[in-house]
Amino acid sequence: MLETVNPATGEVLATFPVHGRAEVDAAVAEAREAATWWAGLGWSGRRVRLLAWKSHLVRYMGRLAQLMHEETGKPLDDAKLEIILAVVHIDWAARHARRVLRPRRVRSGLAAVNQAATLEYQPLGVVGVIVPWNYPVFTPVGSIAYALAAGNAVVFKPSELTPATGDWIVRSFGEALAVFGDAAPVLRLVTGPATTGQALARSGVDKVAFTGTAATARKVMAAAADSLTPVLAECGGKDAMFVSEDANLDAAADAAAWGAMSHAGQTCVGIERVYVAETVYHSFLERLTQRVSGLRPGDDRQAAYGPMTRPEQAEVVAKHVADALAHGGRLVEGDGDVGGGPDGGASPYLRPIILADVPENSSAVTEETFGPTVTVTPVASMAQAVSHANAGGYGLGSAVFARDRSAAMTAARSLRTGMTSVNSVIGFAVVPALPFGGVGESGFGRIHGADGLREFTRPKAITRQRMRPPINLLSFARTDRDMRRIVTLATLLHGRLYRPKKGRGAQ
Ligand code: NAD
């Protein structure tokens, strides 16, 4: 059995079964049957059910938020915001699936003028969703809602740290569907640790939507490789923020404080590094320190953020801080004693830490810390900030603060990340039409938006011959005359000589 524990108090909240290969395979088989029914409901049938689910989540938001608070330690208001964000995505996926995925005619082109060509996006069947604990509603819903809206069934494995929230999500979907008289297990829960995730990756699902560390993504891909099961990988990050000399420093400091410290820094798109134009470096650092020094972690309503959900993470934070200090870094905020590991029995609460003068090769700059820490480094130019930001292996999100819109957009485009927000942090996650995902060690594939819907489909190409072809090419009855005509046509259409335009070099 799996025990889920309140990280703030150590209290056991509930127990859940550890599902093995047999149970996971059975869940996938049941989901596969349900998938046929779900796909058969059509766009409007699925849309109204997903909207009913969203409304259920809003109506019972208080209860779900309380459970998330108890299971992860995050403040109640943060839990509510997370639910609202998830609801926005369910709503978007439900309302846009038809427009994005419905069959459409595409131009056949001159060579196939006798064909009618249709492109469709068909559901894959059953999608396995494996997720972490830090956003136990927003993260799974980012895959589940889009997979369901595209016509798939889902087998969902929440983190072993948040099975109760996962169970609540699945039961809420069942309750929303029950109003329609439906009982098919379109969204199935399996619980357990890594072994359950492995079983799901090997189960023959039609795609695995994985969110977690890059190390685990590699194991999931290896497990899925046997059956050539495609994998979507949403992994960690080391998000950087750039503050230009013309930026609104108060707004930038406020955003950096929240981006780095909210949820104790346990956010995949949290800000872990800030690069500041050297002319405004000290003013920015002062503003940031002022904001951060007032933040207090705790379990009460006034606390800025909660405990480390995974007590072991405190050790990673301690290691990164020690490495930064050993290499010439300086503590601007925090006392460097990040305290207890799981055995030390020390507090699960980490106070905010700001580090300055940390060399770019320190683990505090290169590795995901996932704690309430941030490094602040002066840079000579936006180009240098971009170069530092792009030097690491991760590429999830990033942020740029600048008044000059064109310079900000140029920097945003040159940051090697899947997402960038200008003059805000994490703004991209709030826009459901935008795809969410990373590059490099941060993974590949996209959830959210039209790309997120297409991620859970297979494009199906259909041609229908409307009349006999003017030139008979695809037959052994093809004649020399047919060949001469097609070569003439190809020469006319594609044989033109292309040369560089005068005065424009070889562009
Ligand atoms: P993790 O990789 O340890 O676990 C993620 C999930 O994978 C869990 O459900 C776990 O049980 C399962 N798992 C573990 N080993 C497995 C295996 N061998 N085979 C199959 N499944 C396995 O990650 P975590 O510590 O739970 O989460 C933190 C990480 O998630 C951070 O790196 C964070 O940045 C990342 N994250 C990314 C996003 C995103 O959207 N890109 C969102 C949230 C969190």
Side-chain angles (χ1 to χ4, degrees):
M1 296 298 279
L2 188 68
E3 283 184 342
T4 176
V5 175
N6 182 329
T9 61
E11 174 201 358
V12 175
L13 296 168
T15 55
F16 286 86
V18 169
H19 288 132
R21 185 78 200 252
E23 291 96 340
V24 170
D25 285 351
V28 172
E30 275 183 38
R32 198 168 289 292
E33 272 187 35
T36 309
W37 167 77
W38 181 247
L41 281 178
W43 306 113
S44 55
R46 291 193 294 272
R47 174 186 149 122
V48 68
R49 284 164 175 80
L50 286 166
L51 294 178
W53 181 36
K54 133 195 125 157
S55 145
H56 186 100
L57 291 177
V58 172
R59 280 178 289 126
Y60 294 98
M61 186 188 298
R63 286 191 206 170
L64 177 56
Q66 179 63 31
L67 181 58
M68 293 158 74
H69 168 65
E70 286 169 13
E71 212 173 25
T72 66
K74 70 174 63 189
L76 265 178
D77 284 349
D78 285 5
K80 285 184 186 159
L81 280 179
E82 182 180 338
I83 298 167
I84 292 167
L85 212 47
V87 159
V88 167
H89 280 281
I90 299 173
D91 184 70
W92 195 92
R95 292 186 193 279
H96 290 80
R98 180 172 176 273
R99 183 185 60 73
V100 174
L101 304 174
R102 71 177 165 203
R104 74 207 54 202
R105 290 283 287 274
V106 295
R107 282 175 187 270
S108 312
L110 258 186
V113 74
N114 62 318
Q115 306 275 3
T118 306
L119 168 61
E120 304 190 8
Y121 291 93
Q122 299 183 341
L124 299 169
V126 181
V127 175
V129 172
I130 303 175
V131 293
W133 42 267
N134 56 336
Y135 286 85
V137 171
F138 175 70
T139 298
V141 163
S143 291
I144 291 170
Y146 288 83
L148 289 174
N152 302 280
V154 170
V155 177
F156 165 38
K157 191 203 95 61
S159 164
E160 53 273 46
L161 297 184
T162 52
T165 304
D167 179 54
W168 202 100
I169 291 175
V170 171
R171 279 189 295 108
S172 70
F173 184 71
E175 283 161 29
L177 259 61
V179 175
F180 296 82
D182 306 334
V186 179
L187 175 59
R188 283 291 316 250
L189 179 80
V190 291
T191 50
T195 47
T196 311
Q198 277 285 304
L200 188 52
R202 289 189 191 284
S203 66
V205 286
D206 300 286
K207 183 159 198 165
V208 176
F210 169 79
T211 310
T213 61
T216 308
R218 289 180 166 85
K219 292 181 192 157
V220 169
M221 288 174 74
D226 277 348
S227 49
L228 273 189
T229 302
V231 175
L232 157 75
E234 297 285 354
C235 305
K238 187 76 191 173
D239 287 10
M241 169 171 158
F242 172 62
V243 182
S244 161
E245 68 179 340
D246 70 343
N248 176 335
L249 294 187
D250 285 316
D254 188 65
W258 188 81
M261 308 301 170
S262 60
H263 194 15
Q266 304 168 110
T267 300
C268 57
V269 285
I271 297 296
E272 298 209 356
R273 306 176 279 165
V274 184
Y275 296 103
V276 190
E278 55 198 9
T279 44
V280 294
Y281 177 71
H282 292 291
S283 317
F284 172 81
L285 196 54
E286 198 181 311
R287 285 171 165 83
L288 178 64
T289 311
Q290 200 181 32
R291 279 165 178 81
V292 162
S293 62
L295 301 178
R296 179 183 56 80
D299 194 30
D300 53 287
R301 288 303 288 257
Q302 279 72 45
Y305 57 83
M308 301 308 283
T309 308
R310 233 178 117 254
E312 303 89 312
Q313 200 62 30
E315 292 165 15
V316 177
V317 176
K319 217 175 84 198
H320 288 183
V321 172
D323 188 72
L325 298 181
H327 290 91
R330 186 164 59 82
L331 271 167
V332 178
E333 178 64 35
D335 55 14
D337 175 17
V338 294
D343 302 322
S347 163
Y349 299 105
L350 298 190
R351 294 196 67 84
I353 294 167
I354 302 177
L355 291 159
D357 304 331
V358 182
E360 287 300 297
N361 61 359
S362 162
S363 57
V365 174
T366 59
E367 291 174 23
E368 185 179 48
T369 308
F370 229 51
T373 70
V374 68
T375 62
V376 187
T377 309
V379 285
S381 62
M382 193 139 10
Q384 191 186 18
V386 169
S387 150
H388 283 328
N390 288 351
Y394 289 111
L396 195 54
S398 49
V400 177
F401 273 76
R403 281 208 169 87
D404 179 336
R405 193 193 295 182
S406 146
M409 289 305 282
T410 303
R413 290 194 179 99
S414 45
L415 283 160
R416 187 183 151 273
T417 58
M419 304 154 294
T420 302
S421 45
V422 174
N423 293 335
S424 80
V425 284
I426 319 185
F428 42 76
V430 190
V431 181
L434 282 177
F436 187 103
V439 304
E441 288 291 304
S442 295
F444 50 83
R446 293 293 181 265
I447 54 172
H448 301 176
D451 296 281
L453 284 167
R454 286 192 203 103
E455 190 76 44
F456 297 110
T457 62
R458 62 173 70 87
K460 171 82 181 188
I462 302 176
T463 52
R464 181 176 53 80
Q465 183 155 304
R466 293 182 297 192
M467 56 185 147
R468 285 184 48 205
I471 313 173
N472 194 11
L473 296 176
L474 308 177
S475 161
F476 287 118
R478 186 178 61 211
T479 63
D480 289 347
R481 185 161 170 265
D482 287 330
M483 250 346 266
R484 279 198 302 278
R485 288 168 71 194
I486 190 67
V487 170
T488 307
L489 186 62
T491 309
L492 282 172
L493 291 177
H494 305 294
R496 200 188 112 188
L497 210 53
Y498 290 87
R499 290 213 167 106
K501 289 211 171 105
K502 273 199 184 110
R504 290 211 196 157
Q507 280 172 2

Tab-separated table of all heavy atoms in Angstrom, residues 365-418:
chain	number	residue	atom	x	y	z
A	365	VAL	N	23.491	27.350	-10.706
A	365	VAL	CA	23.125	28.024	-11.965
A	365	VAL	C	22.800	27.000	-13.060
A	365	VAL	O	21.956	27.251	-13.924
A	365	VAL	CB	24.265	28.955	-12.444
A	365	VAL	CG1	23.966	29.555	-13.810
A	365	VAL	CG2	24.505	30.063	-11.431
A	366	THR	N	23.406	25.831	-12.995
A	366	THR	CA	23.246	24.891	-14.110
A	366	THR	C	22.170	23.832	-13.873
A	366	THR	O	21.606	23.294	-14.814
A	366	THR	CB	24.570	24.156	-14.406
A	366	THR	OG1	24.969	23.463	-13.216
A	366	THR	CG2	25.668	25.109	-14.838
A	367	GLU	N	21.886	23.502	-12.585
A	367	GLU	CA	20.932	22.412	-12.308
A	367	GLU	C	19.633	22.940	-11.716
A	367	GLU	O	19.624	23.994	-11.078
A	367	GLU	CB	21.560	21.412	-11.324
A	367	GLU	CG	22.709	20.628	-11.924
A	367	GLU	CD	23.411	19.765	-10.890
A	367	GLU	OE1	22.803	19.427	-9.868
A	367	GLU	OE2	24.597	19.455	-11.121
A	368	GLU	N	18.566	22.185	-11.905
A	368	GLU	CA	17.278	22.597	-11.336
A	368	GLU	C	17.350	22.466	-9.814
A	368	GLU	O	17.639	21.389	-9.296
A	368	GLU	CB	16.163	21.694	-11.886
A	368	GLU	CG	14.784	22.136	-11.448
A	368	GLU	CD	13.683	21.245	-12.025
A	368	GLU	OE1	13.802	20.011	-11.935
A	368	GLU	OE2	12.699	21.794	-12.563
A	369	THR	N	17.093	23.572	-9.102
A	369	THR	CA	17.186	23.544	-7.630
A	369	THR	C	15.845	23.144	-7.021
A	369	THR	O	15.787	22.397	-6.064
A	369	THR	CB	17.642	24.920	-7.090
A	369	THR	OG1	18.823	25.318	-7.782
A	369	THR	CG2	17.924	24.859	-5.610
A	370	PHE	N	14.757	23.667	-7.566
A	370	PHE	CA	13.406	23.331	-7.115
A	370	PHE	C	13.201	23.675	-5.647
A	370	PHE	O	12.625	22.899	-4.873
A	370	PHE	CB	13.137	21.839	-7.356
A	370	PHE	CG	11.824	21.590	-8.049
A	370	PHE	CD1	11.499	22.268	-9.202
A	370	PHE	CD2	10.904	20.660	-7.551
A	370	PHE	CE1	10.287	22.044	-9.848
A	370	PHE	CE2	9.690	20.429	-8.182
A	370	PHE	CZ	9.398	21.132	-9.329
A	371	GLY	N	13.705	24.837	-5.266
A	371	GLY	CA	13.537	25.322	-3.899
A	371	GLY	C	13.421	26.833	-3.926
A	371	GLY	O	13.548	27.451	-4.994
A	372	PRO	N	13.190	27.461	-2.754
A	372	PRO	CA	12.999	28.919	-2.721
A	372	PRO	C	14.327	29.670	-2.802
A	372	PRO	O	14.742	30.326	-1.857
A	372	PRO	CB	12.302	29.145	-1.374
A	372	PRO	CG	12.777	28.007	-0.525
A	372	PRO	CD	13.033	26.843	-1.429
A	373	THR	N	15.011	29.515	-3.920
A	373	THR	CA	16.306	30.166	-4.106
A	373	THR	C	16.342	30.849	-5.473
A	373	THR	O	15.640	30.433	-6.395
A	373	THR	CB	17.464	29.149	-4.095
A	373	THR	OG1	17.389	28.376	-5.290
A	373	THR	CG2	17.407	28.227	-2.903
A	374	VAL	N	17.192	31.852	-5.579
A	374	VAL	CA	17.375	32.494	-6.880
A	374	VAL	C	18.782	33.087	-6.933
A	374	VAL	O	19.295	33.534	-5.909
A	374	VAL	CB	16.275	33.566	-7.124
A	374	VAL	CG1	16.420	34.757	-6.180
A	374	VAL	CG2	16.250	34.036	-8.559
A	375	THR	N	19.417	33.007	-8.093
A	375	THR	CA	20.714	33.677	-8.270
A	375	THR	C	20.457	34.973	-9.039
A	375	THR	O	19.606	35.010	-9.939
A	375	THR	CB	21.705	32.803	-9.061
A	375	THR	OG1	21.171	32.562	-10.368
A	375	THR	CG2	21.970	31.471	-8.371
A	376	VAL	N	21.193	36.020	-8.674
A	376	VAL	CA	21.040	37.314	-9.358
A	376	VAL	C	22.423	37.746	-9.854
A	376	VAL	O	23.361	37.842	-9.058
A	376	VAL	CB	20.447	38.382	-8.417
A	376	VAL	CG1	20.131	39.657	-9.180
A	376	VAL	CG2	19.177	37.863	-7.754
A	377	THR	N	22.533	37.965	-11.158
A	377	THR	CA	23.842	38.180	-11.781
A	377	THR	C	23.799	39.398	-12.703
A	377	THR	O	22.868	39.500	-13.515
A	377	THR	CB	24.201	36.924	-12.630
A	377	THR	OG1	24.032	35.780	-11.798
A	377	THR	CG2	25.614	36.976	-13.166
A	378	PRO	N	24.792	40.287	-12.612
A	378	PRO	CA	24.802	41.434	-13.532
A	378	PRO	C	25.291	41.024	-14.916
A	378	PRO	O	26.135	40.132	-15.041
A	378	PRO	CB	25.809	42.394	-12.883
A	378	PRO	CG	26.683	41.535	-12.031
A	378	PRO	CD	25.914	40.315	-11.655
A	379	VAL	N	24.742	41.668	-15.947
A	379	VAL	CA	25.199	41.411	-17.321
A	379	VAL	C	25.413	42.743	-18.034
A	379	VAL	O	24.760	43.739	-17.717
A	379	VAL	CB	24.188	40.566	-18.129
A	379	VAL	CG1	24.218	39.114	-17.706
A	379	VAL	CG2	22.783	41.125	-18.034
A	380	ALA	N	26.310	42.710	-19.030
A	380	ALA	CA	26.650	43.943	-19.740
A	380	ALA	C	25.577	44.301	-20.760
A	380	ALA	O	25.410	45.469	-21.111
A	380	ALA	CB	27.998	43.774	-20.421
A	381	SER	N	24.859	43.292	-21.254
A	381	SER	CA	23.891	43.560	-22.328
A	381	SER	C	22.847	42.454	-22.362
A	381	SER	O	23.009	41.392	-21.747
A	381	SER	CB	24.624	43.557	-23.677
A	381	SER	OG	25.169	42.260	-23.875
A	382	MET	N	21.820	42.711	-23.131
A	382	MET	CA	20.771	41.709	-23.326
A	382	MET	C	21.367	40.477	-24.013
A	382	MET	O	21.027	39.348	-23.689
A	382	MET	CB	19.654	42.305	-24.181
A	382	MET	CG	18.482	41.458	-24.132
A	382	MET	SD	16.845	42.081	-23.998
A	382	MET	CE	16.395	43.598	-24.126
A	383	ALA	N	22.304	40.724	-24.925
A	383	ALA	CA	22.931	39.609	-25.643
A	383	ALA	C	23.673	38.695	-24.678
A	383	ALA	O	23.610	37.467	-24.784
A	383	ALA	CB	23.891	40.146	-26.707
A	384	GLN	N	24.340	39.298	-23.687
A	384	GLN	CA	25.063	38.463	-22.725
A	384	GLN	C	24.070	37.673	-21.851
A	384	GLN	O	24.300	36.497	-21.528
A	384	GLN	CB	25.971	39.328	-21.837
A	384	GLN	CG	26.920	38.456	-21.030
A	384	GLN	CD	27.754	39.235	-20.029
A	384	GLN	OE1	27.439	40.370	-19.667
A	384	GLN	NE2	28.834	38.622	-19.576
A	385	ALA	N	22.974	38.318	-21.492
A	385	ALA	CA	21.960	37.618	-20.694
A	385	ALA	C	21.430	36.421	-21.471
A	385	ALA	O	21.283	35.316	-20.931
A	385	ALA	CB	20.818	38.568	-20.351
A	386	VAL	N	21.141	36.632	-22.752
A	386	VAL	CA	20.605	35.548	-23.585
A	386	VAL	C	21.641	34.430	-23.691
A	386	VAL	O	21.308	33.239	-23.583
A	386	VAL	CB	20.213	36.086	-24.985
A	386	VAL	CG1	19.901	34.947	-25.945
A	386	VAL	CG2	19.008	37.022	-24.872
A	387	SER	N	22.892	34.809	-23.838
A	387	SER	CA	23.941	33.799	-23.967
A	387	SER	C	24.062	32.975	-22.682
A	387	SER	O	24.144	31.747	-22.717
A	387	SER	CB	25.239	34.510	-24.350
A	387	SER	OG	26.337	33.834	-23.872
A	388	HIS	N	24.023	33.622	-21.513
A	388	HIS	CA	24.040	32.883	-20.235
A	388	HIS	C	22.804	31.990	-20.128
A	388	HIS	O	22.892	30.826	-19.744
A	388	HIS	CB	24.037	33.844	-19.046
A	388	HIS	CG	25.369	34.487	-18.778
A	388	HIS	ND1	26.559	33.853	-19.029
A	388	HIS	CD2	25.686	35.693	-18.237
A	388	HIS	CE1	27.562	34.650	-18.673
A	388	HIS	NE2	27.053	35.782	-18.208
A	389	ALA	N	21.655	32.582	-20.423
A	389	ALA	CA	20.399	31.831	-20.262
A	389	ALA	C	20.397	30.589	-21.144
A	389	ALA	O	19.915	29.536	-20.756
A	389	ALA	CB	19.212	32.725	-20.598
A	390	ASN	N	20.963	30.736	-22.347
A	390	ASN	CA	20.920	29.626	-23.304
A	390	ASN	C	22.037	28.605	-23.099
A	390	ASN	O	22.057	27.572	-23.773
A	390	ASN	CB	21.009	30.164	-24.741
A	390	ASN	CG	19.728	30.860	-25.168
A	390	ASN	OD1	18.726	30.794	-24.457
A	390	ASN	ND2	19.755	31.516	-26.318
A	391	ALA	N	22.949	28.893	-22.175
A	391	ALA	CA	24.124	28.025	-22.047
A	391	ALA	C	23.788	26.673	-21.422
A	391	ALA	O	24.471	25.681	-21.664
A	391	ALA	CB	25.198	28.732	-21.217
A	392	GLY	N	22.751	26.601	-20.622
A	392	GLY	CA	22.443	25.353	-19.919
A	392	GLY	C	21.712	24.358	-20.806
A	392	GLY	O	21.363	24.645	-21.947
A	393	GLY	N	21.472	23.182	-20.248
A	393	GLY	CA	20.788	22.134	-21.002
A	393	GLY	C	19.279	22.315	-21.031
A	393	GLY	O	18.605	21.878	-21.957
A	394	TYR	N	18.731	22.957	-19.977
A	394	TYR	CA	17.273	23.108	-19.897
A	394	TYR	C	16.769	24.212	-20.821
A	394	TYR	O	17.523	25.126	-21.156
A	394	TYR	CB	16.860	23.458	-18.470
A	394	TYR	CG	17.011	22.324	-17.493
A	394	TYR	CD1	17.976	22.357	-16.482
A	394	TYR	CD2	16.174	21.219	-17.556
A	394	TYR	CE1	18.103	21.314	-15.577
A	394	TYR	CE2	16.298	20.175	-16.649
A	394	TYR	CZ	17.256	20.230	-15.670
A	394	TYR	OH	17.374	19.205	-14.778
A	395	GLY	N	15.500	24.142	-21.173
A	395	GLY	CA	14.907	25.197	-22.002
A	395	GLY	C	13.392	25.175	-21.892
A	395	GLY	O	12.690	24.913	-22.861
A	396	LEU	N	12.882	25.435	-20.668
A	396	LEU	CA	11.427	25.375	-20.486
A	396	LEU	C	10.809	26.767	-20.680
A	396	LEU	O	10.367	27.104	-21.753
A	396	LEU	CB	11.127	24.780	-19.108
A	396	LEU	CG	9.694	24.298	-18.862
A	396	LEU	CD1	9.242	23.319	-19.918
A	396	LEU	CD2	9.567	23.667	-17.475
A	397	GLY	N	10.832	27.595	-19.638
A	397	GLY	CA	10.287	28.939	-19.774
A	397	GLY	C	11.363	29.978	-19.546
A	397	GLY	O	12.510	29.650	-19.226
A	398	SER	N	10.999	31.249	-19.720
A	398	SER	CA	11.924	32.349	-19.451
A	398	SER	C	11.097	33.631	-19.390
A	398	SER	O	9.915	33.631	-19.760
A	398	SER	CB	12.991	32.450	-20.555
A	398	SER	OG	12.399	32.427	-21.829
A	399	ALA	N	11.736	34.697	-18.914
A	399	ALA	CA	11.025	35.974	-18.810
A	399	ALA	C	11.966	37.119	-19.157
A	399	ALA	O	13.168	37.038	-18.916
A	399	ALA	CB	10.483	36.169	-17.394
A	400	VAL	N	11.388	38.162	-19.754
A	400	VAL	CA	12.160	39.356	-20.100
A	400	VAL	C	11.409	40.566	-19.548
A	400	VAL	O	10.201	40.685	-19.766
A	400	VAL	CB	12.283	39.512	-21.639
A	400	VAL	CG1	13.017	40.797	-21.992
A	400	VAL	CG2	12.967	38.304	-22.254
A	401	PHE	N	12.099	41.422	-18.840
A	401	PHE	CA	11.507	42.679	-18.396
A	401	PHE	C	12.204	43.831	-19.101
A	401	PHE	O	13.417	44.005	-18.958
A	401	PHE	CB	11.608	42.845	-16.871
A	401	PHE	CG	10.441	42.209	-16.170
A	401	PHE	CD1	10.382	40.834	-16.022
A	401	PHE	CD2	9.378	42.986	-15.714
A	401	PHE	CE1	9.283	40.232	-15.414
A	401	PHE	CE2	8.275	42.394	-15.105
A	401	PHE	CZ	8.227	41.017	-14.954
A	402	ALA	N	11.470	44.578	-19.912
A	402	ALA	CA	12.031	45.705	-20.650
A	402	ALA	C	10.892	46.602	-21.110
A	402	ALA	O	9.792	46.107	-21.390
A	402	ALA	CB	12.812	45.210	-21.859
A	403	ARG	N	11.161	47.904	-21.195
A	403	ARG	CA	10.119	48.825	-21.703
A	403	ARG	C	10.126	48.843	-23.225
A	403	ARG	O	9.084	49.000	-23.845
A	403	ARG	CB	10.347	50.235	-21.149
A	403	ARG	CG	9.847	50.367	-19.722
A	403	ARG	CD	9.428	51.813	-19.420
A	403	ARG	NE	8.717	51.894	-18.143
A	403	ARG	CZ	9.299	52.050	-16.962
A	403	ARG	NH1	10.604	52.151	-16.871
A	403	ARG	NH2	8.576	52.115	-15.866
A	404	ASP	N	11.310	48.691	-23.816
A	404	ASP	CA	11.432	48.708	-25.276
A	404	ASP	C	10.841	47.405	-25.830
A	404	ASP	O	11.430	46.328	-25.704
A	404	ASP	CB	12.923	48.839	-25.624
A	404	ASP	CG	13.167	48.835	-27.131
A	404	ASP	OD1	12.323	48.301	-27.877
A	404	ASP	OD2	14.218	49.357	-27.551
A	405	ARG	N	9.678	47.538	-26.436
A	405	ARG	CA	8.941	46.354	-26.846
A	405	ARG	C	9.693	45.520	-27.885
A	405	ARG	O	9.732	44.291	-27.804
A	405	ARG	CB	7.585	46.768	-27.417
A	405	ARG	CG	6.649	45.599	-27.565
A	405	ARG	CD	5.454	45.939	-28.391
A	405	ARG	NE	4.614	46.942	-27.747
A	405	ARG	CZ	3.477	47.371	-28.284
A	405	ARG	NH1	3.074	46.904	-29.443
A	405	ARG	NH2	2.752	48.268	-27.679
A	406	SER	N	10.301	46.247	-28.841
A	406	SER	CA	10.972	45.529	-29.915
A	406	SER	C	12.206	44.769	-29.381
A	406	SER	O	12.445	43.607	-29.725
A	406	SER	CB	11.310	46.539	-31.009
A	406	SER	OG	12.478	46.206	-31.617
A	407	ALA	N	12.963	45.422	-28.475
A	407	ALA	CA	14.135	44.743	-27.896
A	407	ALA	C	13.688	43.540	-27.075
A	407	ALA	O	14.324	42.476	-27.094
A	407	ALA	CB	14.925	45.720	-27.028
A	408	ALA	N	12.578	43.708	-26.352
A	408	ALA	CA	12.079	42.608	-25.517
A	408	ALA	C	11.661	41.417	-26.387
A	408	ALA	O	11.954	40.260	-26.071
A	408	ALA	CB	10.894	43.084	-24.685
A	409	MET	N	10.987	41.718	-27.510
A	409	MET	CA	10.536	40.633	-28.399
A	409	MET	C	11.731	39.939	-29.050
A	409	MET	O	11.740	38.724	-29.227
A	409	MET	CB	9.588	41.167	-29.469
A	409	MET	CG	8.231	41.562	-28.934
A	409	MET	SD	7.379	40.256	-28.041
A	409	MET	CE	6.771	39.253	-29.388
A	410	THR	N	12.768	40.735	-29.396
A	410	THR	CA	13.973	40.132	-29.985
A	410	THR	C	14.619	39.174	-28.983
A	410	THR	O	15.009	38.048	-29.323
A	410	THR	CB	14.977	41.233	-30.385
A	410	THR	OG1	14.310	42.109	-31.273
A	410	THR	CG2	16.221	40.664	-31.047
A	411	ALA	N	14.723	39.633	-27.717
A	411	ALA	CA	15.316	38.769	-26.686
A	411	ALA	C	14.455	37.526	-26.494
A	411	ALA	O	14.970	36.404	-26.403
A	411	ALA	CB	15.447	39.536	-25.380
A	412	ALA	N	13.138	37.724	-26.450
A	412	ALA	CA	12.222	36.585	-26.235
A	412	ALA	C	12.429	35.538	-27.317
A	412	ALA	O	12.484	34.333	-27.045
A	412	ALA	CB	10.778	37.071	-26.226
A	413	ARG	N	12.575	36.007	-28.569
A	413	ARG	CA	12.732	35.060	-29.694
A	413	ARG	C	14.060	34.326	-29.607
A	413	ARG	O	14.157	33.181	-30.026
A	413	ARG	CB	12.645	35.796	-31.023
A	413	ARG	CG	11.259	36.283	-31.289
A	413	ARG	CD	11.030	36.717	-32.726
A	413	ARG	NE	9.652	37.133	-32.840
A	413	ARG	CZ	9.242	38.408	-32.807
A	413	ARG	NH1	10.104	39.392	-32.709
A	413	ARG	NH2	7.962	38.680	-32.878
A	414	SER	N	15.093	35.000	-29.074
A	414	SER	CA	16.400	34.333	-29.095
A	414	SER	C	16.644	33.459	-27.863
A	414	SER	O	17.676	32.795	-27.793
A	414	SER	CB	17.521	35.352	-29.285
A	414	SER	OG	17.300	36.449	-28.453
A	415	LEU	N	15.729	33.462	-26.920
A	415	LEU	CA	15.890	32.570	-25.771
A	415	LEU	C	15.500	31.153	-26.175
A	415	LEU	O	14.407	30.933	-26.714
A	415	LEU	CB	15.027	33.067	-24.607
A	415	LEU	CG	15.622	34.273	-23.872
A	415	LEU	CD1	14.565	35.020	-23.091
A	415	LEU	CD2	16.764	33.837	-22.952
A	416	ARG	N	16.399	30.208	-25.933
A	416	ARG	CA	16.177	28.824	-26.361
A	416	ARG	C	15.280	28.115	-25.336
A	416	ARG	O	15.708	27.252	-24.573
A	416	ARG	CB	17.536	28.119	-26.469
A	416	ARG	CG	17.495	26.740	-27.049
A	416	ARG	CD	18.901	26.142	-27.030
A	416	ARG	NE	18.868	24.705	-26.921
A	416	ARG	CZ	18.814	24.037	-25.772
A	416	ARG	NH1	18.770	24.681	-24.633
A	416	ARG	NH2	18.815	22.715	-25.782
A	417	THR	N	14.031	28.552	-25.304
A	417	THR	CA	13.057	27.938	-24.395
A	417	THR	C	11.746	27.777	-25.143
A	417	THR	O	11.511	28.470	-26.143
A	417	THR	CB	12.792	28.843	-23.159
A	417	THR	OG1	12.324	30.130	-23.613
A	417	THR	CG2	14.039	29.039	-22.327
A	418	GLY	N	10.900	26.903	-24.635
A	418	GLY	CA	9.607	26.702	-25.302
A	418	GLY	C	8.681	27.884	-25.107
A	418	GLY	O	7.765	28.095	-25.905
